[in-house]
Amino acid sequence: MVDIYPEIERPTLVVDRERTKRNIAAMAGKAVSNGVRFRPHFKTHQSAVIGEWFREVGVESITVSSVDMATYFAANGWGDITIAFPVNIRQIKAINTLSKQISLNVLVESVAAVAGLRSWLDYEVGVWLKVDTGYCRTGIPWDDKEALLAVAGAVMRAGQLRLVGLLSHAGHTYKAGSAERVVEAFEESIERLIRARTSLGGPYQQLLLSVGDTPGCSLAPGFTGVDEVRPGNFVFYDLAQLSFGSCSEKQISVALACPVVAKHPSRKQIVIHGGAVHLSLDRLTTDGGKTVFGGVALPDAGGWTDMFEDSYVKSLSQEHGIVQAESALFETVDIGDLLMVIPVHSCLAADLMGSYLTLDRERIEMMSQSV
Amino acid sequence: MVDIYPEIERPTLVVDRERTKRNIAAMAGKAVSNGVRFRPHFKTHQSAVIGEWFREVGVESITVSSVDMATYFAANGWGDITIAFPVNIRQIKAINTLSKQISLNVLVESVAAVAGLRSWLDYEVGVWLKVDTGYCRTGIPWDDKEALLAVAGAVMRAGQLRLVGLLSHAGHTYKAGSAERVVEAFEESIERLIRARTSLGGPYQQLLLSVGDTPGCSLAPGFTGVDEVRPGNFVFYDLAQLSFGSCSEKQISVALACPVVAKHPSRKQIVIHGGAVHLSLDRLTTDGGKTVFGGVALPDAGGWTDMFEDSYVKSLSQEHGIVQAESALFETVDIGDLLMVIPVHSCLAADLMGSYLTLDRERIEMMSQSV
């Protein structure tokens, strides 16, 4: 094992390649054994290099969250991409460029969006109806047959639009509160998606069904009834997923290495270089009512130790983090050392950091944020 | 007035140059009329171009929050920089490069950090003692005479370290709750900084005093007793500052233009392209207990309208924002239109966006986040 830590000067997102590849293989295997298409969401890692780790297990279809991300992955050889975001018709120029090059799928949830596409689209795109199965963020309500029929009909009448299926993101699994309730919410979401298709009547029974969300895809025993799964976060997992029971601690495959810059013995706090611009302000509330911005471990030869049970990132400023430390941690750490912060939300930390460092010292770049 | 809005395709941070320059001139004027040095914090805008707007009013000394930011601004012609962050000894190589080129100041708050600098520093740097005047994030407690003397003495004994003064950031003004209490906290902080210097005794009475924080610097009638002020956020202000009373709505000079991608009449919600990766997850809690991730306005010929009083960004996903809209807004806006989101925290939104678009269509770049 190479020791990367002596050379780290500033907050650095460390990725454990082996854990990440195991996470990918496990979810790909689960999809295969359930006979569904695996279309992983690449918004979590946003990296062409990590994308290759998916190709190694046979992945050919992916999900992204923006037109720009689709453009990046298309340029890196991905030929079948779903943009899982209500189509932004202001980006029609880039959508036209993409739809000429690759098999592109977009999401619609209104007749207005379909009309926009119909007016401006130059090439065929696949279209999924975005269905709201209980999350109440986006999508046509699963039980609003009239709206479903109106949008589906508009798609059918538009020349370049090929209606593919119904798609939902059961994001409310993130608030389910227990592993059991995650599975209930996920299965209820599938049930509702099936009922939405049934309600559309005869001509629509061949439509495919697609579901997302890492908690559900990780915890559900199987994927009966759907044709495609689109989890994303499972590639790295994080503290939030651990709290839902979606993963074990040993599956979390990214941590932010943060230089220690100050210690405050009177309140057992360690100040780290690592703040809101590195980790994001995503937070967890523990059963005891504490607000937590990250878990805390130490670097070790294999990557990083288990987290300290009674230590956590208590607050974040722009560049600073304040770690509330138990004695065993506080006494061990000196100014100039590194702490490893386990992010609450790995997608946002990765997006902020812009690159990864593997345990064998490969620097892995992500798509550029500035366009 | 150029109409920049038809060309905006994706979330875009729009800056009103005139408002920004007025904000800069007002704070610079207040510093001059109070006879203190104005050393603005550039972590908010992180841009060489906007830095030039400060030079136009005579600013020569600046504050930054990281060694990397100091390197960027030194490369853009700034010769007097304070890194207002407990010195990160792991970046000693870059600190040595900088201290050779420019007049560099760092912050220390422990004998350990001083020892690290003394061991590795090649050129002289100015040193401020970071003093905690009540915020309880970093710094030596203002009333801990023993610790102050120990660190000051260590600095005095180290060859390349030139002790400059005592520096505090009264960040607790952000939680003061009213304009009156902001001023009380700011003035108490100055009083404590003065008492800390007094407690150090004879040889230290020539040390300078430096204070930061936009709420205090905006609201305090003057800066009696200090030698330097370091506010940063005032350059743009934001929804949080408006809530403290630090600024008027017409002083807020950035807004995120966000394409509308869906509307949900049953719950009067507008879905925008604009999420946690654009705005950050910083939030405000209103008096009524609502959690707010941004204010909402419409683009207009002069920039953007006043905010809608009863509409706000209710939640953020990675790329989506959900706007809870009053009827007047909901009925006005169509899919494909733009909404203007007033960020809760302009520093974090700017950091995420990486560039600005002025109302006269200049694209202004920021320092690159990837190093």
Side-chain angles (χ1 to χ4, degrees):
Chain A
M1 181 62 67
V2 185
D3 187 357
I4 56 170
Y5 295 113
E7 291 168 25
I8 290 181
E9 297 182 356
R10 56 175 70 77
T12 300
L13 191 59
V14 177
V15 61
D16 182 322
R17 186 196 308 260
E18 299 316 315
R19 285 188 186 185
T20 304
K21 287 192 172 185
R22 277 199 295 272
N23 292 339
I24 294 169
M27 192 63 83
K30 187 170 180 177
V32 168
S33 67
N34 280 276
V36 302
R37 183 198 285 140
F38 182 39
R39 187 188 284 279
H41 207 316
F42 276 18
K43 72 169 184 167
T44 303
H45 62 80
Q46 296 183 45
S47 162
V49 172
I50 294 179
E52 295 305 312
W53 303 353
F54 286 80
R55 260 200 256 265
E56 291 169 10
V57 296
V59 172
E60 293 181 350
S61 312
I62 65 170
T63 309
V64 299
S65 56
S66 69
V67 175
D68 295 331
M69 214 179 287
T71 301
Y72 168 78
F73 283 109
N76 283 283
W78 293 91
D80 180 1
I81 302 179
T82 297
I83 304 172
F85 189 87
V87 63
N88 172 8
I89 47 182
R90 286 186 165 246
Q91 291 191 281
I92 193 72
K93 210 187 303 177
I95 292 170
N96 274 327
T97 303
L98 276 169
S99 60
K100 185 176 175 183
Q101 295 168 346
I102 64 162
S103 171
L104 183 72
N105 301 297
V106 300
L107 268 53
V108 300
E109 59 175 274
S110 66
V111 172
V114 174
L117 285 173
R118 198 177 48 193
S119 299
W120 304 107
L121 209 58
D122 293 333
Y123 303 92
E124 186 186 84
V125 301
V127 172
W128 293 84
L129 301 189
K130 178 69 195 287
V131 178
D132 182 354
T133 56
Y135 184 28
C136 291
R137 181 180 66 177
T138 59
I140 307 163
W142 65 276
D143 53 357
D144 188 345
K145 177 180 165 180
E146 199 179 329
L148 287 166
L149 274 171
V151 182
V155 174
M156 296 293 276
R157 286 188 297 275
Q160 295 101 337
L161 303 183
R162 182 173 41 80
L163 187 59
V164 179
L166 308 184
L167 178 149
S168 75
H169 173 67
H172 51 305
T173 58
Y174 279 75
K175 301 207 167 148
S178 73
E180 197 176 16
R181 278 186 287 173
V182 165
V183 176
E184 278 171 20
F186 183 74
E187 292 182 341
E188 179 192 70
S189 180
I190 293 175
E191 179 62 31
R192 288 174 171 179
L193 208 53
I194 292 170
R195 288 171 64 183
R197 179 174 59 189
T198 304
S199 77
L200 285 172
Y204 295 104
Q205 296 314 302
Q206 299 310 310
L207 291 181
L208 303 179
L209 303 183
S210 174
V211 295
D213 92 87
T214 283
C217 289
S218 298
L219 287 164
F223 305 133
T224 307
V226 301
D227 302 286
E228 177 181 283
V229 293
R230 310 177 323 277
N233 179 281
F234 74 93
V235 62
F236 301 141
Y237 288 115
D238 54 31
L239 202 61
Q241 298 292 341
L242 181 67
S243 78
F244 309 146
S246 310
C247 65
S248 70
E249 188 175 344
K250 293 289 189 204
Q251 287 178 287
I252 300 175
S253 67
V254 288
L256 188 73
C258 298
V260 171
V261 294
K263 290 178 70 180
H264 293 281
S266 65
R267 47 183 193 266
K268 286 264 169 48
Q269 289 180 348
I270 299 169
V271 184
I272 55 175
H273 188 190
V277 299
H278 309 103
L279 286 162
S280 94
L281 286 169
D282 219 343
R283 62 195 74 187
L284 276 181
T285 305
T286 65
D287 293 341
K290 277 189 309 200
T291 301
V292 171
F293 292 89
V296 182
L298 288 173
D300 74 7
W304 52 89
T305 65
D306 285 344
M307 285 185 275
F308 285 80
E309 270 186 36
D310 296 316
S311 304
Y312 63 105
V313 180
K314 184 188 171 81
S315 67
L316 295 174
S317 306
Q318 185 162 342
E319 299 265 354
H320 305 70
I322 304 293
V323 172
Q324 190 64 52
E326 61 203 88
S327 298
L329 176 64
F330 192 84
E331 303 306 334
T332 307
V333 169
D334 290 320
I335 289 172
D337 288 353
L338 293 176
L339 280 188
M340 303 300 286
V341 173
I342 311 304
V344 169
H345 191 165
S346 59
C347 308
L348 296 184
D351 178 80
L352 281 161
M353 293 305 300
S355 71
Y356 308 87
L357 184 65
T358 67
L359 293 170
D360 52 3
R361 204 182 269 134
E362 184 187 358
R363 175 67 67 173
I364 295 179
E365 297 303 327
M366 294 169 60
M367 66 177 276
S368 167
Q369 295 307 300
S370 44
V371 282
Chain B
M1 181 62 64
V2 185
D3 187 357
I4 57 170
Y5 295 113
E7 291 168 26
I8 289 181
E9 298 181 356
R10 56 174 70 77
T12 300
L13 191 60
V14 177
V15 62
D16 182 322
R17 187 195 309 259
E18 300 315 317
R19 286 188 185 186
T20 305
K21 288 191 172 186
R22 277 199 295 273
N23 292 340
I24 295 169
M27 192 63 82
K30 186 169 180 179
V32 167
S33 67
N34 280 276
V36 303
R37 183 198 285 141
F38 182 39
R39 187 188 283 280
H41 207 316
F42 276 19
K43 71 168 184 169
T44 303
H45 61 79
Q46 297 183 46
S47 161
V49 171
I50 294 179
E52 295 305 312
W53 303 353
F54 285 80
R55 260 201 256 265
E56 291 170 9
V57 296
V59 171
E60 293 181 350
S61 313
I62 65 170
T63 308
V64 299
S65 56
S66 69
V67 175
D68 294 331
M69 214 181 285
T71 301
Y72 168 78
F73 282 109
N76 283 284
W78 293 90
D80 179 2
I81 302 180
T82 297
I83 305 172
F85 188 87
V87 63
N88 173 8
I89 318 264
R90 285 184 165 249
Q91 291 192 279
I92 193 72
K93 212 186 300 175
I95 292 171
N96 274 328
T97 303
L98 278 169
S99 59
K100 185 177 176 182
Q101 295 168 346
I102 65 162
S103 172
L104 183 71
N105 301 296
V106 300
L107 268 53
V108 301
E109 58 175 276
S110 65
V111 172
V114 175
L117 286 173
R118 198 177 49 194
S119 299
W120 304 106
L121 209 57
D122 293 334
Y123 304 92
E124 187 186 83
V125 301
V127 172
W128 293 85
L129 300 189
K130 178 69 194 289
V131 179
D132 182 355
T133 55
Y135 185 26
C136 291
R137 180 180 66 176
T138 59
I140 308 163
W142 66 277
D143 54 358
D144 189 345
K145 178 181 164 181
E146 199 179 328
L148 288 166
L149 274 171
V151 182
V155 174
M156 296 294 275
R157 286 188 297 276
Q160 294 101 336
L161 304 182
R162 181 174 40 81
L163 187 59
V164 179
L166 307 184
L167 178 149
S168 75
H169 173 68
H172 51 306
T173 57
Y174 280 75
K175 301 206 166 149
S178 74
E180 198 177 15
R181 279 186 286 173
V182 165
V183 176
E184 278 170 20
F186 183 73
E187 292 182 341
E188 178 192 70
S189 180
I190 293 175
E191 179 62 30
R192 288 175 170 178
L193 208 52
I194 293 170
R195 289 172 65 185
R197 179 173 60 187
T198 305
S199 77
L200 285 171
Y204 295 105
Q205 296 314 302
Q206 300 310 310
L207 291 181
L208 303 179
L209 303 183
S210 174
V211 296
D213 91 87
T214 282
C217 289
S218 298
L219 287 164
F223 305 133
T224 307
V226 301
D227 303 286
E228 177 182 283
V229 293
R230 312 179 320 278
N233 179 281
F234 74 93
V235 62
F236 300 141
Y237 288 115
D238 53 31
L239 202 61
Q241 299 292 341
L242 181 66
S243 78
F244 309 146
S246 311
C247 65
S248 71
E249 187 174 344
K250 293 289 188 203
Q251 288 178 287
I252 300 177
S253 67
V254 289
L256 188 72
C258 298
V260 170
V261 294
K263 289 178 71 180
H264 293 281
S266 65
R267 47 185 193 266
K268 286 263 170 45
Q269 289 180 348
I270 299 169
V271 183
I272 55 175
H273 188 190
V277 299
H278 310 102
L279 287 162
S280 96
L281 287 169
D282 219 343
R283 61 195 75 185
L284 276 181
T285 306
T286 64
D287 294 341
K290 276 190 310 203
T291 301
V292 171
F293 292 88
V296 182
L298 288 172
D300 75 7
W304 52 90
T305 65
D306 285 345
M307 285 185 277
F308 286 79
E309 270 185 38
D310 295 317
S311 303
Y312 64 104
V313 180
K314 184 190 171 82
S315 67
L316 294 174
S317 306
Q318 184 161 342
E319 300 265 354
H320 305 71
I322 304 293
V323 172
Q324 189 64 52
E326 61 203 88
S327 297
L329 176 64
F330 192 85
E331 302 307 335
T332 308
V333 169
D334 289 321
I335 289 173
D337 288 352
L338 293 176
L339 281 188
M340 302 299 285
V341 174
I342 311 303
V344 169
H345 191 165
S346 60
C347 307
L348 295 184
D351 178 80
L352 280 161
M353 293 305 299
S355 71
Y356 308 88
L357 184 66
T358 67
L359 293 170
D360 52 3
R361 202 182 273 135
E362 183 187 358
R363 175 67 66 172
I364 295 179
E365 298 303 327
M366 294 170 60
M367 65 177 276
S368 167
Q369 294 308 299
S370 43
V371 282

